[in-house]
């Protein structure tokens, strides 16, 4: 009873993107049976379910932006829990707030899709905002109310993570956050379960999804929806574009992971003085040491989006290029580790990065020795695995490439054995391989020759050895492709066994990239490091609006601001003036 459409296989991604951008959930049906084995219509099944918040394919995602799906679990005791996950990277976060703060909390996450319970009575009892999904720019998906209970969430989470209880994750059985996390996990499992039919030997479903982590908001400034919009942190308020936003001032990230991390830094600012000062020391170190900064930037340029590559491996959607890119990224990170080792401000991220690289280096070396340097986009026609990696694959390739030389050798050998000088070995598409002997030599035909075809002046024969060779050659391409698929699947299984260090590797690279981006921007725009302390005084000298300053440069007029002193804390600052006087610029 659902609308269906057939599209050209090579153009499927284009159609899928257009559908998902409209908020439509799409089920993809593929052939799941070898047509040679089918009697009548070839079996088909749903192999993929795509929704706005559960995309993993590189072509369907904006590389520098998180693609999150969130679930809201309202509770009658005036609490609302939110679970947020990014399927493409495996991040999984839970948080709680009061009903009047739910829109602000979700705005900071900015999910593409929002799961809410169908129970209208429950929503009205705790006064969830009307049109919540639309207010944060998300697509709303309604789910059965029983999926949002703490009991169901506890069972779903324990089964998936194979634990006796959820205490290690900071959750308890009757926790609203448990309900939200369980409802979200159940949805992710349902959208990805179809892939298991085509890859039963792959990693367990959502093996890359990290355990839910409770958001520690004590360390972050809680920006509400109005502030995020008014300050135009990631989008302009009029056109909804990145260009002209605060985020657009920082174009110097070298990786997609770094761009996503930078967005989180801007939307969830630090409030702890010690943490802010530590970040400033790292940024300041790169501003002062331009040679090191340039070397780190050069090293990051060789990084691929390993976090999303791991996600595609975990859901069975990885490509040959994904696998090779993962290996190259690990190998490219070694010089970065050496550079960070000499800088105390980067000690924490250096230690994390070094540990993950050490864990992943054997895997990266195996990928490098198994796969060619320039891999194909897909495995439909093979061409990924190097010669010498798999004996059966090498044999198939030799047969494909060197069939002619084998036939020449074989012909010379049977000429010598039979003494028939005019004998020749040939091939045609109708009859396959044959040994042709003129009728004048009928009496000299050995017993092992089996007549295959009669011509006017010759007979064509086949031998057991030639028949075996024929079978091998005619199936060599298919057998070679099957062997490549086996080797590739084995590589993917090995990668799936390293999902945890890969995730940690991606996080560390994102931190390094985000920091160098801040440093590069500060250096190019001649920014000054602020002095941050625990006092209530705010003193800005010749302060500049970062977005306007970046676009106007020498034409922007800086302003001073002194709010409070050490002895007199400010409670209110009233800024007045005529239209176009620059009030909003000054406030920002």
């Amino acid at each position: 009873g659902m609308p269906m459409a057939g599209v050209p296989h090579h153009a499927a991604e284009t159609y899928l993107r257009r559908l998902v951008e409209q908020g439509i959930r799409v089920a993809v049906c593929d052939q799941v049976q070898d047509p040679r084995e089918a009697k009548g219509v070839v079996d088909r099944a749903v192999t993929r379910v795509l929704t706005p918040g559960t995309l993993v394919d590189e072509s369907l995602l904006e590389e520098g932006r998180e693609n999150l799906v969130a679930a809201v679990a309202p509770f009658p005791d005036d609490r609302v829990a939110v679970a947020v996950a990014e399927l493409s990277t495996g991040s999984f976060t839970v948080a709680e707030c009061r009903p009047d703060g739910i829109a602000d909390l979700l705005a900071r996450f900015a999910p593409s899709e929002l799961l809410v319970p169908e129970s209208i009575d429950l929503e009205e009892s705790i006064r969830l905002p009307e049109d919540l999904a639309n207010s944060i720019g998300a697509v709303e998906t309604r789910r059965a109310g029983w999926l949002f209970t703490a009991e169901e969430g506890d069972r779903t989470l324990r089964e998936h993570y194979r634990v006796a209880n959820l205490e290690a994750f900071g959750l308890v059985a009757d926790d609203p956050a448990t309900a939200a996390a369980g409802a979200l996990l159940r949805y992710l499992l349902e959208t990805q379960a179809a892939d298991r039919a085509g890859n039963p030997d792959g990693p367990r479903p959502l093996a890359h999804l990290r355990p839910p982590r409770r958001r520690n908001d004590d360390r972050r400034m809680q920006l509400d929806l109005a502030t995020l919009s008014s300050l135009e942190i990631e989008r302009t308020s009029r056109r909804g574009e990145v260009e002209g936003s605060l985020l657009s001032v920082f174009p110097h990230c070298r990786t997609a992971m770094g761009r996503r991390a930078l967005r989180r830094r801007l939307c969830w600012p630090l409030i702890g003085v010690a943490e802010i000062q530590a970040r400033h020391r790292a940024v300041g170190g790169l501003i002062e040491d331009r040679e090191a900064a340039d070397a780190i930037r050069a090293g990051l340029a060789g990084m691929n989006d390993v976090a999303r590559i791991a996600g595609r491996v975990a859901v069975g959607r990885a490509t040959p290029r994904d696998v090779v890119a993962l290996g190259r990224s690990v190998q490219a990170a070694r010089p970065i580790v050496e550079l960070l080792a000499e800088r105390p401000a980067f000690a924490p991220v250096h230690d994390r990065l070094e540990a993950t690289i050490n864990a992943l280096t054997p895997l990266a070396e195996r990928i490098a020795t198994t796969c060619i340097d320039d891999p194909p986009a897909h495995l439909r026609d093979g061409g990924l695995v190097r010669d010498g990696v798999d004996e059966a694959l090498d044999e198939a390739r030799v047969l494909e490439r060197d069939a002619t030389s084998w036939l020449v050798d074989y012909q010379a050998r049977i000429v010598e054995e039979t003494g028939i000088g005019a004998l020749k070995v040939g091939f045609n598409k109708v009859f396959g391989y044959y040994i042709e002997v003129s009728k004048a030599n009928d009496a000299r035909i050995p017993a092992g020759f089996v007549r295959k075809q009669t011509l006017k002046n010759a007979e064509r024969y086949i031998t057991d050895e030639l028949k075996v060779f024929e079978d091998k050659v005619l199936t060599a391409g298919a057998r070679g492709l099957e062997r490549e698929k086996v080797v590739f699947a084995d590589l993917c299984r090995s990668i799936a066994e390293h999902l945890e260090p890969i995730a940690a590797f991606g996080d560390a690279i994102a931190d390094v990239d985000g920091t160098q981006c801040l440093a590069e921007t500060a250096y190019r725009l001649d920014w000054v490091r602020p002095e941050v302390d625990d006092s209530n005084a705010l003193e800005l000298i010749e302060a500049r609006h970062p977005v306007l300053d970046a676009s106007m440069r020498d034409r922007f007029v800086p302003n001073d601001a002194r709010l409070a002193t050490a002895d007199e804390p400010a409670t209110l600052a009233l800024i007045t003036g005529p239209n176009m006087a620059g009030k909003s610029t000054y406030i920002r």
Side-chain angles (χ1 to χ4, degrees):
M2 298 296 291
M4 295 189 70
V7 299
H9 186 274
H10 65 276
E13 300 298 334
T14 301
Y15 291 92
L16 290 172
R17 187 184 307 108
R18 289 167 59 186
L19 289 167
V20 173
E21 284 175 353
Q22 296 177 50
I24 297 173
R25 300 171 70 236
V26 184
V28 180
C29 302
D30 279 319
Q31 292 182 357
V32 293
Q33 181 185 23
D34 189 332
R36 293 172 295 184
E37 300 174 358
K39 295 181 179 179
V41 178
V42 178
D43 288 342
R44 289 173 173 81
V46 175
T47 56
R48 301 166 64 192
V49 177
L50 294 92
T51 75
T54 61
L55 304 176
V56 295
D57 295 80
E58 184 178 15
S59 60
L60 300 177
L61 290 167
E62 185 178 339
E63 66 172 15
R65 183 176 173 82
E66 291 178 301
N67 189 62
L68 303 171
V69 55
V72 177
F75 270 57
D77 60 356
D78 217 27
R79 287 186 296 169
V80 182
V82 175
V84 182
E86 184 174 28
L87 185 62
S88 64
T89 63
S91 67
F92 197 1
T93 305
V94 294
E96 287 186 36
C97 65
R98 293 178 55 81
D100 56 5
I102 184 62
D104 298 331
L105 177 61
L106 289 172
R108 290 192 288 277
F109 284 111
S112 301
E113 184 175 6
L114 183 63
L115 311 180
V116 295
E118 291 177 343
S119 174
I120 302 299
D121 293 340
L122 186 58
E123 289 184 31
E124 292 176 348
S125 69
I126 63 157
R127 304 179 303 280
L128 275 183
E130 294 183 8
D131 204 16
L132 177 60
N134 188 57
S135 69
I136 60 171
V139 173
E140 181 179 276
T141 299
R142 289 192 171 269
R143 303 275 285 165
W146 63 269
L147 293 170
F148 293 80
T149 62
E151 180 182 4
E152 182 62 23
D154 178 66
R155 185 186 64 80
T156 302
L157 289 165
R158 285 190 293 103
E159 287 182 358
H160 179 74
Y161 291 106
R162 301 171 182 175
V163 294
N165 59 65
L166 305 178
E167 293 179 2
F169 306 153
L171 302 175
V172 294
D174 59 350
D175 194 336
T178 301
L184 180 54
L185 175 58
R186 180 73 169 263
Y187 183 68
L188 295 176
L189 287 169
E190 289 178 7
T191 59
Q192 301 305 309
D195 279 334
R196 312 308 306 163
N199 186 25
D201 298 325
R204 66 185 177 90
L206 304 188
H208 72 304
L209 190 67
R210 296 177 235 182
R213 179 176 57 87
R214 193 180 288 276
R215 186 93 196 181
N216 183 7
D217 287 339
D218 294 339
R219 299 170 51 242
R220 306 282 176 173
M221 186 181 294
Q222 305 304 300
L223 303 180
D224 58 27
L225 180 58
T227 302
L228 287 168
S229 175
S230 297
L231 292 183
E232 299 183 318
I233 289 180
E234 60 175 334
R235 301 277 178 181
T236 58
S237 56
R238 288 187 178 181
R239 297 184 178 181
E241 298 174 347
V242 175
E243 185 62 34
S245 69
L246 179 60
L247 189 60
S248 69
V249 179
F250 303 94
H252 304 297
C253 283
R254 306 292 278 178
T255 71
M257 297 175 290
R259 286 190 285 275
R260 296 195 295 270
L262 179 64
R263 187 261 172 196
R264 289 193 295 271
R265 289 189 180 190
L266 296 180
C267 292
W268 302 83
L270 293 172
I271 58 175
V273 172
E275 288 183 286
I276 293 173
Q277 290 175 341
R279 181 175 290 173
H280 286 176
R281 283 194 296 273
V283 171
L286 293 182
I287 293 175
E288 295 168 3
D289 190 345
R290 297 309 301 159
E291 185 177 349
D294 291 341
I296 289 174
R297 284 174 55 78
L300 290 170
M303 291 290 156
N304 292 87
D305 198 342
V306 297
R308 284 184 169 170
I309 289 174
R312 288 194 287 274
V313 169
V315 299
R317 302 290 303 167
T319 67
R321 290 179 180 174
D322 285 336
V323 170
V324 173
L326 173 62
R328 284 178 178 165
S329 297
V330 173
Q331 293 176 326
R334 183 64 69 180
I336 297 176
V337 170
E338 295 172 358
L339 286 165
L340 298 181
E342 304 169 6
R343 288 156 183 83
F346 284 93
V349 69
H350 164 269
D351 294 344
R352 285 190 290 132
L353 189 57
E354 185 176 44
T356 59
I357 290 176
N358 291 338
L360 295 173
T361 293
L363 176 63
E365 291 174 348
R366 180 183 172 190
I367 291 172
T369 57
T370 300
C371 304
I372 64 173
D373 295 331
D374 187 17
H378 50 74
L379 207 59
R380 287 196 294 267
D381 299 320
L384 169 67
V385 180
R386 295 180 186 273
D387 290 340
V389 171
D390 183 84
E391 186 177 343
L393 174 59
D394 291 342
E395 181 184 357
R397 285 176 171 171
V398 168
L399 285 171
E400 264 196 306
R401 291 194 297 250
D402 302 331
T404 301
S405 61
W406 186 92
L407 290 172
V408 170
D409 293 341
Y410 180 67
Q411 178 174 312
R413 178 155 50 85
I414 60 175
V415 165
E416 182 179 352
E417 291 174 357
T418 62
I420 305 174
L423 174 152
K424 68 176 183 178
V425 179
F427 171 82
N428 68 39
K429 293 181 180 180
V430 177
F431 292 98
Y433 288 96
Y434 57 83
I435 302 169
E436 186 172 301
V437 182
S438 64
K439 290 187 176 180
N441 291 294
D442 279 352
R444 305 168 66 183
I445 299 298
F449 279 37
V450 178
R451 183 177 280 105
K452 189 173 187 179
Q453 183 185 10
T454 300
L455 304 179
K456 181 177 180 181
N457 297 314
E459 295 285 348
R460 287 180 174 174
Y461 300 88
I462 188 101
T463 64
D464 290 342
E465 185 179 5
L466 187 58
K467 179 61 177 173
V468 169
F469 175 78
E470 179 181 64
D471 292 341
K472 286 184 176 181
V473 170
L474 295 182
T475 60
R479 286 187 294 108
L481 181 57
E482 286 303 312
R483 287 306 306 171
E484 286 212 62
K485 290 180 178 178
V486 170
V487 173
F488 180 70
D490 191 42
L491 263 184
C492 288
R493 276 192 293 272
S494 295
I495 295 172
E497 294 170 359
H498 293 79
L499 293 177
E500 188 173 340
I502 291 173
F505 174 72
D507 289 344
I509 289 295
D511 283 350
V512 173
D513 195 18
T515 300
Q516 73 78 24
C517 175
L518 295 176
E520 190 69 18
T521 303
Y523 173 75
R524 295 192 184 197
L525 298 182
D526 196 26
W527 288 358
V528 177
R529 177 178 173 178
E531 296 178 10
V532 180
D533 56 31
D534 285 314
S535 73
N536 291 322
L538 174 67
E539 183 175 20
L540 307 177
I541 301 172
E542 294 191 357
R544 294 170 282 160
H545 185 299
V547 178
L548 295 179
D549 183 57
S551 60
M552 298 175 66
R553 298 303 294 149
D554 297 337
R555 294 183 292 121
F556 185 83
V557 179
N559 295 274
D560 294 347
R562 291 182 177 85
L563 302 180
T565 65
D567 301 322
E568 298 180 7
T571 56
L572 176 70
L574 179 64
I575 300 177
T576 67
N579 290 339
M580 304 301 290
K583 297 186 298 296
S584 61
T585 297
Y586 185 81
I587 291 171
R588 291 176 185 179

